[in-house]
Amino acid sequence: MIELRSDTFTLPTPAMREAAFYAQVGDDVYGEDPTVNRLERLAADMLGKEAACFMPSGTMANLTSILVHCPRGTEVLVGDESDIYHYEAGGASVVGGIIYHAVPTRPDGTLPIPALAQAIRDASDSQFAEAALICLENTHNRCGGVVLPLAYLAEVQRFARERGLPVHIDGARIFNAAVALGVRPAEIAQYADSVQFCLSKGLAAPVGSLVVGDRRFVERARRLRKMLGGGMRQVGMMAAAGIVALETMVGRLVEDHANARRLAEGLAQIPGLRINLETVQTNIVIFEVLDDRYTWQSFLEALSRHGVRMGELGYGRIRAVTHYGISADDVDLAIEAVRRILA
């Protein structure tokens, strides 16, 4: 089966398995797991921040970051197409009493500055909740894996600082963004007060995410991680795999991007599909099936019978994600399977 539903289906490399087996461990809740400490130092250095905290998941990493930045009863400004808004179970509202204020998302993944300005209401008016945080997503999943330009990030940072607001980047795939731009991830992270990124997507580690920021932010995040049930004790085995991921898997993301482009260009040649090649910038391909014989559900079922799995990403759009487990030959087989279905 050719698995294109998500890059979360990556399997750990042999080097990760070996590192996990031999990892030194200790109690991380006490700060005494040496492998976790090494991972956190590496992550902070790579993103140009003072400190980092290892988290079980990206959802907990984003939730913790929002809770650190936002007092109860305030608003967090998020894109209406963001993963935080759609896929993280409303955690900030449920756990933190924080209000999601959805801002329109452009097709390029950016939130228009005028829309952000409009979302920040007059704090002197007691009927409005006060804005406390701006969240961006880079790369942007539901917009097709697009990369936010550095100039835009700088513009948002200036806007936020003028209003005394912090910026958080949901950088689940920030290393894909860095590879696509040809820059170090720290050059992206410099425009945010906090960043979370996933080890378990394109970097192929089995589990885990990290939150990075200044020391005070990370100290508070670590306390909230404990409150949320994220204290993981002897978790150095998983951290060891994360270290291997950061040291060996970033450079190869260019292969995933090339395979996504190969897939997108192949699909663009098949009648009955609609795809915007301009949005295929990293490892995500989104397209629509226009053939009246199929709904998105029946198309995916037929595709699975041909040995290929893809997923749906809202509005009937189909998503395919390339990753460590997908080769160029797999991409060609997937294109041929779609061609046969729509013949």
Side-chain angles (χ1 to χ4, degrees):
M1 184 67 72
I2 298 171
E3 182 56 79
L4 291 166
R5 283 178 292 173
S6 177
D7 44 7
T8 59
F9 285 93
T10 50
L11 298 177
T13 66
M16 291 179 192
R17 296 174 187 269
E18 182 178 6
F21 186 84
Y22 290 106
Q24 289 183 293
V25 299
D27 193 325
D28 179 50
V29 174
Y30 284 85
E32 295 178 4
D33 189 305
T35 308
V36 172
N37 294 342
R38 181 183 162 205
L39 170 64
E40 291 174 345
R41 287 194 299 271
L42 176 61
D45 288 345
M46 290 182 75
L47 274 81
K49 299 297 185 185
E50 289 182 348
C53 181
F54 188 34
M55 297 277 182
S57 70
T59 296
M60 184 181 284
N62 281 328
L63 173 58
T64 300
S65 298
I66 293 171
L67 293 176
V68 170
H69 288 301
C70 299
R72 192 172 187 86
T74 59
E75 290 187 336
V76 53
L77 276 53
V78 296
D80 63 356
E81 290 293 342
S82 67
D83 276 20
I84 287 175
Y85 188 61
H86 281 276
Y87 301 127
E88 299 190 354
S93 294
V94 175
V95 178
I98 298 159
I99 304 158
Y100 294 97
H101 191 137
V103 177
T105 307
R106 291 188 181 124
D108 65 358
T110 62
L111 308 182
I113 298 296
L116 289 171
Q118 187 175 11
I120 300 172
R121 276 87 66 93
D122 184 357
S124 66
D125 191 329
S126 61
Q127 67 183 329
F128 294 134
E130 185 177 359
L133 175 67
I134 297 172
C135 288
L136 302 176
E137 184 176 330
N138 195 18
T139 65
H140 199 292
N141 176 32
R142 285 172 64 91
C143 290
V146 294
V147 180
L148 303 190
L150 296 180
Y152 170 75
L153 296 177
E155 185 181 11
V156 172
Q157 184 185 62
R158 286 193 299 272
F159 170 87
R161 285 181 172 174
E162 288 170 359
R163 289 155 181 82
L165 297 177
V167 175
H168 172 71
I169 291 180
D170 175 4
R173 298 181 176 92
I174 196 170
F175 289 94
N176 291 90
V179 168
L181 291 173
V183 301
R184 296 178 297 109
E187 294 184 50
I188 299 173
Q190 68 178 314
Y191 298 110
D193 298 274
S194 59
V195 180
Q196 86 84 10
F197 68 87
C198 292
L199 297 168
S200 58
K201 290 188 169 74
L203 299 184
V207 68
S209 293
L210 285 115
V211 166
V212 300
D214 64 30
R215 287 188 178 85
R216 175 59 179 151
F217 170 86
V218 170
E219 287 172 1
R220 296 177 65 194
R222 202 175 299 280
R223 178 180 177 277
L224 286 166
R225 182 188 69 171
K226 176 65 173 174
M227 183 193 76
L228 295 171
M232 297 179 287
R233 304 302 180 183
Q234 288 79 17
V235 75
M237 289 180 286
M238 294 298 97
I243 292 169
V244 174
L246 290 177
E247 291 181 340
T248 69
M249 301 299 284
V250 174
R252 64 149 307 280
L253 292 175
V254 68
E255 300 172 31
D256 297 341
H257 297 180
N259 283 334
R261 171 57 58 171
R262 185 186 188 101
L263 175 63
E265 292 178 350
L267 294 175
Q269 302 302 313
I270 301 175
L273 300 179
R274 178 164 58 204
I275 183 170
N276 181 1
L277 292 177
E278 290 184 6
T279 66
V280 184
Q281 300 172 11
T282 54
N283 68 324
I284 297 176
V285 178
I286 292 179
F287 62 95
E288 296 175 80
V289 179
L290 305 180
D291 192 314
D292 291 337
R293 294 173 296 170
Y294 293 97
T295 63
W296 67 262
Q297 294 96 331
S298 63
F299 174 81
L300 291 179
E301 290 168 0
L303 195 60
S304 182
R305 291 194 295 271
H306 282 75
V308 180
R309 287 184 179 142
M310 296 183 186
E312 191 265 350
L313 200 68
Y315 317 114
R317 299 173 302 164
I318 307 301
R319 185 185 77 159
V321 186
T322 55
H323 52 81
Y324 172 64
I326 297 297
S327 67
D329 289 342
D330 292 328
V331 168
D332 292 342
L333 290 171
I335 293 168
E336 184 56 33
V338 173
R339 194 187 309 278
R340 289 198 303 270
I341 291 169
L342 297 178

